[in-house]
Amino acid sequence: MGANSPVEKARLTVDVELHRGPFRLGINFQAGAEILILFGPSGAGKTTLLNMIAGLVKPDAGEIIFDGATFFRKHRPGININLAARKRHIGYVFQDYALFPHLTALENVAYPLWRQKDANSKATTLLKKLGIAQLGSRYPHELSGGQKQRVAIARTLAPDPQLLLMDEPFSALDLSLRERLQSDLSALQSESGLVVICVTHNLEDAFTLGDRLAVIQNGNLDQIGQVEEVFNSPVNHQVASTLGIQNIFQARVVDSRSNGIVLEWDGLYFEAPFQPVKVGELVTAYIRAEDIKVLYPDMQLNKAVSHNQVTGKIVSRESRSNSFSLRIHLANGHEIQVRFPVYSYGSLSLSPGNDVTLSLRRDKLVILAPDKGKVLK
């Protein structure tokens, strides 16, 4: 599947336009039985898009269709339609929980099932699945943020919706609970064939939970595709920056052959896989911090790291739970980030101030779209 290709079996089709002062939104995509992650900066239009699908915001034009039922149509072939939100039967987990303050946790979850005889039993089962059955008698003001979020998710799942919208559903959860809930939601989606559209600012949520990733910026859908595909092959500099990809730089193409190209980055020269670019052209390139290797002195190099060797000085070193990150000052005046597992390079002194030799892996240098109009003579 290409980075912007439609899903094979689309159940949800969204083609919407919205104008609000200087803000312009125009987004067109399809989703199937999957978890689609909407990712992008604040103000990009992600929550507005969810609200249009749910029927809480009316687009200026477009069409929204789910399982053959038209939720909205305007300025498109056919009669105008704007189905009321309550008739769309969509589950929506709001960022601010939207719990009824006068109802207990159990009553909140059972509320959508009030006509069913087994409402309390089903609500209790959902609370148990989310690990908060013991909190059923508490009111929202007696719950923590994470507990409120789990109640909100349980209430949304109670009426068995086939389309589930989620706005930052894990923002108030600690890591262990976040991982558990993601696992539960992934299993639920797989078992029931739900269409799930989830907004998040956490890229790890996308990798852990998402089947596909849609990058939204300034009201536009810049790229959509499999999560790893989008992350490994962003369509442009802006998408790469939004995804938090480091080591993005602009370089000049100085040589192009069938087996690869040579880039010049302010005095440093790198080989990269072949791309259909012209000699003299400025291109945007990047390499992930994990794909830059630290070289041992006087050690024979294998083919993967024999190219693109550079020296630099360690500016800083940061430790995380399972990795180290180095910031390296290069001879051309620029800095790059290097990241590696905690168990790597144990015999090397990688402290700030020390010199280090690196290899920017040739096969991992990614060339983005050339900057238009910039060709060096």
Side-chain angles (χ1 to χ4, degrees):
M1 181 183 299
N4 291 294
S5 59
V7 293
E8 293 181 2
K9 295 182 179 179
R11 294 181 58 191
L12 173 67
T13 298
V14 177
D15 172 19
V16 289
E17 301 172 24
L18 183 74
H19 299 168
R20 292 292 184 271
F23 180 72
R24 297 288 187 271
L25 181 146
I27 291 178
N28 188 333
F29 71 91
Q30 293 180 323
E34 61 178 326
I35 299 177
L36 174 63
I37 302 293
L38 304 184
F39 186 84
S42 297
K46 304 182 302 297
T47 298
T48 299
L49 179 60
L50 289 191
N51 288 338
M52 286 192 284
I53 296 172
L56 304 178
V57 171
K58 183 180 178 181
D60 293 324
E63 199 168 47
I64 302 173
I65 301 173
F66 180 67
D67 281 348
T70 301
F71 289 169
F72 175 84
R73 182 190 294 128
K74 185 177 181 181
H75 298 317
R76 295 294 186 272
I79 62 173
N80 287 353
I81 296 174
N82 186 25
L83 196 65
R86 67 181 183 278
K87 295 182 178 180
R88 300 190 184 193
H89 305 295
I90 293 175
Y92 197 152
V93 180
F94 294 91
Q95 190 172 359
D96 60 356
Y97 318 126
L99 298 177
F100 296 115
H102 62 289
L103 299 181
T104 65
L106 179 64
E107 291 168 340
N108 263 283
V109 178
Y111 182 81
L113 309 172
W114 64 275
R115 292 184 178 180
Q116 300 181 20
K117 293 181 179 180
D118 62 345
N120 283 349
S121 175
K122 188 171 183 179
T124 299
T125 299
L126 282 167
L127 289 175
K128 186 179 297 184
K129 185 173 184 179
L130 292 171
I132 51 172
Q134 74 279 9
L135 305 177
S137 61
R138 294 190 185 181
Y139 289 89
H141 72 273
E142 300 173 313
L143 302 173
S144 68
Q147 291 166 348
K148 291 178 184 178
Q149 187 71 294
R150 282 177 281 170
V151 172
I153 292 173
R155 183 185 64 183
T156 302
L157 295 175
D160 297 319
Q162 284 300 297
L163 175 56
L164 180 61
L165 309 178
M166 311 183 79
D167 193 358
E168 297 284 358
F170 314 113
S171 58
L173 307 181
D174 59 36
L175 180 60
S176 60
L177 184 56
R178 174 189 292 255
E179 291 176 345
R180 174 181 170 182
L181 187 54
Q182 288 172 340
S183 178
D184 289 341
L185 285 171
S186 182
L188 176 69
Q189 187 281 324
S190 180
E191 293 168 5
S192 59
L194 279 171
V195 178
V196 181
I197 312 296
C198 177
V199 167
T200 182
H201 285 89
N202 190 323
L203 197 57
E204 291 187 6
D205 290 344
F207 278 97
T208 303
L209 185 66
D211 296 303
R212 289 195 303 151
L213 175 66
V215 180
I216 296 177
Q217 301 181 103
N218 301 317
N220 298 309
L221 177 58
D222 282 0
Q223 187 170 1
I224 184 170
Q226 301 296 319
V227 176
E228 290 189 357
E229 176 187 5
V230 174
F231 189 75
N232 290 329
S233 301
V235 295
N236 55 41
H237 189 167
Q238 191 174 14
V239 170
S241 297
T242 298
L243 294 174
I245 295 174
Q246 298 171 319
N247 303 328
I248 302 174
F249 59 93
Q250 195 173 72
R252 179 169 58 96
V253 180
V254 295
D255 195 8
S256 179
R257 306 187 186 99
S258 60
N259 63 343
I261 62 174
V262 178
L263 303 175
E264 186 264 329
W265 178 32
D266 290 346
L268 295 179
Y269 292 83
F270 302 115
E271 296 181 31
F274 175 77
Q275 293 287 323
V277 293
K278 299 177 181 178
V279 172
E281 196 166 26
L282 281 178
V283 298
T284 299
Y286 80 89
I287 184 167
R288 295 175 60 187
E290 295 82 0
D291 293 323
I292 300 177
K293 303 304 177 184
V294 178
L295 301 182
Y296 287 90
D298 304 322
M299 181 175 288
Q300 186 175 358
L301 303 177
N302 61 42
K303 186 176 180 180
V305 296
S306 61
H307 300 276
N308 301 340
Q309 295 182 34
V310 295
T311 58
K313 188 177 293 292
I314 300 174
V315 177
S316 64
R317 169 174 169 156
E318 296 181 3
S319 61
R320 300 185 179 182
S321 59
N322 58 359
S323 68
F324 287 114
S325 179
L326 303 179
R327 185 159 58 94
I328 311 293
H329 183 84
L330 301 178
N332 65 353
H334 296 287
E335 294 183 351
I336 59 174
Q337 298 285 335
V338 179
R339 188 175 300 113
F340 52 87
V342 293
Y343 52 79
S344 299
Y345 310 120
S347 62
L348 291 180
S349 179
L350 300 177
S351 301
N354 289 350
D355 293 327
V356 66
T357 301
L358 309 171
S359 171
L360 282 65
R361 289 189 54 176
R362 178 186 186 277
D363 60 323
K364 298 298 184 179
L365 262 171
V366 179
I367 310 301
L368 301 176
D371 290 346
K372 294 181 179 180
K374 293 185 179 179
V375 177
L376 298 185
K377 302 297 184 180

